[in-house]
Amino acid sequence: METVTLTPKEQSELYIDAENITPDTFAGKSAAEIAELQVFEGNQTQTLGQYFEVAGTAGATAEETKIVIKGDVTKVKYIGMRMTGGEIVVEGSADMYVGAWMEGGRIHVQGNVDSFSGTGMKGGEIEVDGNAGNYLGAAYRGDWRGMQAGTIRVHGDAGSDLGTFMNGGTIIVEGDVDVHVGTHAEGGTIIVKGNGTSKIGGQMVKGEIYVFGTIDVMMPGYIYREDVDLEVDGDSARFALFEGDMGERHSKRKGQVIYGKIYQKY
C-alpha cells in the first residue's frame, strides 16, 4: 500500500469542506496533482495544497492507497466521505461527517470526531480513539436511511441521536452515550459499554441495543421478557431482555412478531 501524507499548515479562518480527501480521489495521482484538488472554505473554491503540505505517492487504486493526516483537522469536514477502499489515519481530531456514506476501507481517528460521523455508512470501518459528537451512524436530517452496514467503534463517549434510522451494521461505544439511541432503527446492533440516558430505542422497529451500564429511564413501550446469558463484544454476562417499542408497527417472520430488543447487563 502506498502512502500520501497531509501535514496541516496554519488553521483556516472558516471551516473547510474537503470531501476530496479519500483514497478513491487520491488514487493514481502524484503529490502535485493531489495538492491541486479542490476544497471549499465558505463559498470560496481553494486547493488542498493551500491548507496542507502534500507528500508521498498514492497507489493505483483506492485499495492500494493510505492517507495519513499528521495533526489536528478540527476545522476540516467530510474526511473519507463516500470512500470505497484504502485507509485514512488522522493523527489528531477531525470535524463533522468523517466517513459519511462510506462504502469500504478503514478510517482511524486518534482524537475526537464531531457530529454526523458515519452517517448513512454502507460498509467499512471507523475507529475513534476519543469521543464522537451527535448523530453517529445516523441518517442525515430529513432522510430515513441511517447506517446500513460496516462497523464504528468509539473508545470514548458519544453524543445524542446515535444510530437514528439505523438499518444495519454495528456501533460500539465504550464510554457513555447521550439521549435518543437507535431512534426509528430498523436493524443493526448498538453496543454501549458505559451508561445511557433516557429514550433508548424509541420507536425502534427492529435491531438490538446492548447497554452494559445504567439506563436512566427505560422507554415505557418496552416489556421485560427474560434474563439471558450472552457474549457481547468479547464480554460474557447476564442481560435483562426487553422487547418493544410496543407502540410501533412490527413485521412477522415465520408467524412470529419481530420486536426491537434492548439488553441491559446485570
Side-chain angles (χ1 to χ4, degrees):
M1 180 177 281
E2 302 286 350
T3 300
V4 175
T5 301
L6 303 180
T7 304
K9 299 178 181 177
E10 293 184 4
Q11 285 278 4
S12 59
E13 184 177 354
L14 302 177
Y15 286 79
I16 301 170
D17 290 356
E19 60 186 67
N20 276 332
I21 301 180
T22 69
D24 299 74
T25 304
F26 282 16
K29 292 183 175 63
S30 66
E33 291 172 323
I34 292 169
E36 290 301 313
L37 291 171
Q38 289 185 346
V39 297
F40 299 93
E41 182 178 355
N43 62 359
Q44 300 296 309
T45 303
Q46 310 288 5
T47 64
L48 197 61
Q50 288 181 253
Y51 305 100
F52 294 92
E53 298 287 350
V54 182
T57 305
T61 66
E63 288 75 15
E64 297 169 309
T65 300
K66 178 178 180 178
I67 300 171
V68 177
I69 303 176
K70 299 187 75 65
D72 246 29
V73 280
T74 50
K75 296 184 76 172
V76 180
K77 304 178 189 297
Y78 300 109
I79 293 172
M81 186 172 112
R82 302 190 192 282
M83 65 185 278
T84 65
E87 184 177 357
I88 297 176
V89 177
V90 181
E91 296 179 353
S93 296
D95 195 34
M96 301 168 71
Y97 297 103
V98 170
W101 300 285
M102 71 182 287
E103 298 181 12
R106 186 174 192 275
I107 299 175
H108 181 195
V109 179
Q110 296 176 352
N112 304 319
V113 296
D114 210 324
S115 300
F116 287 106
S117 294
T119 189
M121 185 174 174
K122 298 177 181 176
E125 180 183 357
I126 298 175
E127 182 177 12
V128 179
D129 290 352
N131 302 319
N134 301 330
Y135 295 99
L136 179 72
Y140 189 70
R141 285 173 177 155
D143 200 348
W144 51 270
R145 294 163 294 188
M147 182 176 177
Q148 298 173 49
T151 302
I152 301 174
R153 181 181 291 275
V154 176
H155 293 281
D157 301 329
S160 68
D161 299 285
L162 181 156
T164 300
F165 283 112
M166 185 176 179
N167 290 318
T170 302
I171 300 175
I172 304 160
V173 178
E174 297 186 358
D176 300 333
V177 296
D178 206 341
V179 296
H180 294 294
V181 172
T183 305
H184 302 296
E186 297 206 16
T189 301
I190 298 172
I191 300 171
V192 179
K193 297 280 185 83
N195 301 317
T197 51
S198 62
K199 299 180 178 62
I200 291 180
Q203 298 181 314
M204 183 166 72
V205 175
K206 190 168 59 176
E208 299 173 340
I209 300 174
Y210 299 84
V211 180
F212 281 58
T214 60
I215 300 174
D216 285 358
V217 181
M218 179 64 72
M219 291 288 293
Y222 279 82
I223 297 174
Y224 167 78
R225 294 298 193 196
E226 61 180 334
D227 292 345
V228 291
D229 294 315
L230 299 171
E231 181 177 335
V232 179
D233 194 40
D235 291 318
S236 297
R238 172 157 288 194
F239 292 81
L241 166 60
F242 299 84
E243 289 187 331
D245 187 332
M246 296 301 171
E248 288 301 302
R249 62 178 171 82
H250 291 279
S251 58
K252 290 185 178 180
R253 182 185 299 134
K254 296 181 179 178
Q256 298 294 315
V257 179
I258 301 171
Y259 294 105
K261 292 180 170 57
I262 297 176
Y263 297 86
Q264 186 177 18
K265 181 182 174 183
Y266 280 108

